[in-house]
């Protein structure tokens, strides 16, 4: 008589194993596979099976190989967003990352209204999820001209027309995304890196290796789709031959948190001949300051010398944690799809940090990619990716022109100061809330807000 035994897999799925010689679990023979199977079935409970998981992802005739619909390399915000969106489409998802959560990275830590809309599209209840996480509302954007100039400098501000954004630490956002993904059944493999990839016509086989101290050893995964969410230096992009593209800008960023109550609920962008400083409230008692420059930034203290108005704000403030640096690129790839491989987030190209759109881009790409995966049509993702990238790329080029040319910057800021409706219009376009009539401003909104401009100028 033949029997069919079931072995629970590391991934949480189960594996059928045929046998013709059953054995009792009381004294299983380790050398007999059927005995081991029978023993496991009777001693290890099998986790409940989610109905929407594809059966081929659960049942494998290759013990030791973990199968899935989607395998994501990189568990940053873009990778987690892709995992969430894919799981919401009913796909079985595995994620691997060389680090352990929460994963930190230097960024401005501001979610503009468009970013929040993308989070809502991923199934987040913004009123509940963000209110339970330490963060701060962002009600608009303020530009401040070069305060090192002897004369007065222009100050331009505009509120967000359709609700506030949110300032949130990267290390607070990451657990929020991770918890959401885990609740949808996404499986994670931390402190593991990809060592080898074999691409077939319909599947990809990935071998990973873990750090010795984790004792997880090497693992083999087989997946329908392989997603590279592993940043600017993406190894997946190199393996897939997707690195061809152009780099339009390359700048250096440095992030520093300060323990001080925010003096404004606006994102403030200070301009100088040495770059920009972005100030984002992230709680009731802390702000994030991100410096971005074409030149090397030695320290936050050194960078502050180029922004006297901001320096005066922070005279009594203490850094709350170490600084963190990064490179910000304006980069476009010719292709982000090859066969059953796709790229997302910085691995798929990026815009300069001056736009504040890095997180939003990853979230929007995730929704588009998951839809394409569900429809088995990565060509649609290539098309959607170009569309999603187009406007932020245009805005990035325009703002970088102001960065490269002090004359252009000063003239633009003076123009915005004289014509606040123009600045309001450009902000609306930037966050995706542009009115239908060209250069018209929604009559319901006033570029001047109850928050006085003088609040930005310390004595």
């Amino acid at each position: 008589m033949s029997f069919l035994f079931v072995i629970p897999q590391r991934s949480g799925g189960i594996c059928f194993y045929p046998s013709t010689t059953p054995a009792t679990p009381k004294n299983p023979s380790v050398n007999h596979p059927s005995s081991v199977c029978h023993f496991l079935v009777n001693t290890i409970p099998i986790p409940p099976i989610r109905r929407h998981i594809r059966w081929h992802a659960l049942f494998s005739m290759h013990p030791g190989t973990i199968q899935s619909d989607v395998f994501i390399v990189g568990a940053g915000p873009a990778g987690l967003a892709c995992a969430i969106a894919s799981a919401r489409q009913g796909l079985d998802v595995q994620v691997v990352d060389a680090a352990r959560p929460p994963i930190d990275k230097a960024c401005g830590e501001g979610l503009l209204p468009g970013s929040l809309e993308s989070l809502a599209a991923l199934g987040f209840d913004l009123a509940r999820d963000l209110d339970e996480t330490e963060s701060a509302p962002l009600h608009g954007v303020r530009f401040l001209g070069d305060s090192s100039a002897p004369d007065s400098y222009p100050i331009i501000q505009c509120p967000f027309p359709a609700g506030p954004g949110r300032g949130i630490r990267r290390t607070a956002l990451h657990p929020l995304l991770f918890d959401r993904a885990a609740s949808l059944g996404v499986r994670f493999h931390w402190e593991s890196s990809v060592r080898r990839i074999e691409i077939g016509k319909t599947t990809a086989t990935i071998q990973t290796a873990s750090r010795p101290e984790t004792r997880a050893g090497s693992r083999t995964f087989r997946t329908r789709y392989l997603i590279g969410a592993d940043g600017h230096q993406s190894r997946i992009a190199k393996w897939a031959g997707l690195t061809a593209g152009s780099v339009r800008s390359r700048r250096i960023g440095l992030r520093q948190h300060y323990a001080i109550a925010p003096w404004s609920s606006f994102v403030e962008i200070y301009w100088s001949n040495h770059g920009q400083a972005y100030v984002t409230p992230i709680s009731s008692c802390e702000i994030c300051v991100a410096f971005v420059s074409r030149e090397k930034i030695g320290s936050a203290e050194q960078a502050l010398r180029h922004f006297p108005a901001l320096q005066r704000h922070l005279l009594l403030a203490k850094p709350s944690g170490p600084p963190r640096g990064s490179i910000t690129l304006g980069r476009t790839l010719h292709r982000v799809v090859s066969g059953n491989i796709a790229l997302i987030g910085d691995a798929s190209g990026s815009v300069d940090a001056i736009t504040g759109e890095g997180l939003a881009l990853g979230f929007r790409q995730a929704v588009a990619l998951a839809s394409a995966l569900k429809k088995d049509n990565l060509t649609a993702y290539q098309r959607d990716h170009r569309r999603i990238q187009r406007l932020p790329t245009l805005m990035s080029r325009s703002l970088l022109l102001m960065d490269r040319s002090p004359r252009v910057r000063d003239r633009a800021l003076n123009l915005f100061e004289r014509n606040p409706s123009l600045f309001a219009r450009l902000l609306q376009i930037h966050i995706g809330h542009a009115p239908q009539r060209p250069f018209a401003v929604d009559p319901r909104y006033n570029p001047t807000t109850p928050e006085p401009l003088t609040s930005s100028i310390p004595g």
Side-chain angles (χ1 to χ4, degrees), residues 212-254:
E213 59 268 24
T214 65
R215 298 182 181 180
S218 61
R219 289 177 175 174
T220 301
F221 299 83
R222 186 170 289 112
T223 186
R224 176 70 182 91
Y225 292 105
L226 174 61
I227 310 301
D230 48 342
H232 291 304
Q233 303 295 325
S234 172
R235 298 179 69 187
I236 302 303
K238 293 177 182 177
W239 271 317
L242 292 173
T243 57
S246 59
V247 177
R248 299 178 304 277
S249 64
R250 179 186 178 90
R251 299 202 298 162
I252 299 170
L254 180 70

Side-chain angles (χ1 to χ4, degrees), residues 123-458:
F124 282 90
D125 183 335
L126 299 180
R128 181 197 65 203
D129 296 330
L130 289 181
D131 286 347
E132 294 176 354
T133 304
E134 189 173 45
S135 59
L138 306 176
H139 289 115
V141 172
R142 178 177 295 139
F143 278 12
L144 298 97
D146 188 358
S147 58
S148 63
D151 301 327
S152 61
Y153 51 92
I155 302 174
I156 311 99
Q157 69 176 24
C158 181
F160 294 129
R166 187 73 66 141
I168 180 172
R169 260 188 184 258
R170 186 69 168 248
T171 50
L173 176 63
H174 194 270
L176 196 67
L177 294 168
F178 168 72
D179 290 345
R180 175 65 176 158
S183 72
L184 293 169
V186 175
R187 312 290 174 80
F188 291 88
H189 307 273
W190 302 109
E191 297 182 309
S192 298
S193 56
V194 176
R195 297 301 187 195
R196 183 180 178 185
I197 295 177
E198 296 178 5
I199 305 299
K201 290 184 178 180
T202 59
T203 62
T205 301
I206 304 101
Q207 291 184 353
T208 67
S210 301
R211 295 178 182 177
E213 59 268 24
T214 65
R215 298 182 181 180
S218 61
R219 289 177 175 174
T220 301
F221 299 83
R222 186 170 289 112
T223 186
R224 176 70 182 91
Y225 292 105
L226 174 61
I227 310 301
D230 48 342
H232 291 304
Q233 303 295 325
S234 172
R235 298 179 69 187
I236 302 303
K238 293 177 182 177
W239 271 317
L242 292 173
T243 57
S246 59
V247 177
R248 299 178 304 277
S249 64
R250 179 186 178 90
R251 299 202 298 162
I252 299 170
L254 180 70
R255 183 200 70 194
Q256 178 66 69
H257 296 116
Y258 290 92
I260 184 174
W263 55 86
S264 169
S265 63
F266 278 37
V267 176
E268 293 191 336
I269 303 175
Y270 294 76
W271 294 77
S272 82
N273 294 341
H274 299 271
Q276 298 81 45
Y278 306 80
V279 179
T280 306
I282 54 175
S283 78
S284 61
C285 57
E286 189 176 30
I287 64 169
C288 169
V289 179
F291 303 97
V292 184
S293 174
R294 285 169 280 123
E295 303 171 356
K296 183 179 179 180
I297 303 173
S299 66
E301 292 75 14
Q302 177 184 331
L304 277 173
R305 296 172 192 156
H306 303 303
F307 306 95
L310 176 58
Q311 188 178 39
R312 289 193 290 271
H313 270 302
L314 299 176
L315 280 177
L316 301 179
K318 294 183 178 180
S320 53
R324 181 178 285 269
S326 69
I327 299 295
T328 175
L329 298 176
R331 186 173 67 113
T332 301
L333 298 183
H334 298 328
R335 294 182 301 128
V336 297
V337 167
S338 176
N340 58 346
I341 301 177
L343 306 177
I344 191 173
D346 287 347
S348 68
S350 56
V351 294
D352 187 90
I354 199 169
T355 65
E357 283 285 272
L359 290 171
L361 281 176
F363 297 157
R364 293 171 194 148
Q365 291 165 6
V367 174
L369 178 53
S371 176
L373 294 174
K374 180 67 174 179
K375 297 174 182 177
D376 196 24
N377 183 11
L378 286 183
T379 301
Y381 173 63
Q382 176 72 70
R383 181 176 60 252
D384 290 341
H385 187 279
R386 289 197 184 101
R387 172 183 55 79
I388 292 168
Q389 206 85 358
R390 189 176 297 124
L391 180 59
T393 298
L394 176 62
M395 296 301 292
S396 174
R397 290 180 178 180
S398 302
L399 292 169
L400 284 174
L401 180 60
M402 294 172 60
D403 172 72
R404 288 190 293 268
S405 171
R407 183 179 179 183
V408 170
R409 177 198 69 217
D410 293 342
R411 294 186 66 177
L413 292 179
N414 287 326
L415 177 63
F416 293 153
E417 189 177 35
R418 293 193 306 270
N419 299 276
S421 62
L422 175 60
F423 184 71
R425 164 66 178 176
L426 292 175
L427 179 61
Q428 286 178 302
I429 293 174
H430 182 58
I431 64 176
H433 288 280
Q436 295 299 316
R437 291 186 292 118
F439 292 99
V441 179
D442 190 331
R444 295 171 298 175
Y445 114 149
N446 186 351
T448 60
T449 69
E451 180 177 279
L453 287 173
T454 53
S455 68
S456 292
I457 309 174

Side-chain angles (χ1 to χ4, degrees), residues 48-70:
I49 299 172
R50 290 186 291 122
R51 286 180 294 175
H52 65 269
I53 295 180
R54 293 184 180 182
W55 286 101
H56 74 77
L58 286 177
F59 303 127
S60 168
M61 295 302 291
H62 303 280
T65 298
I66 304 172
Q67 300 205 17
S68 65
D69 297 314
V70 183

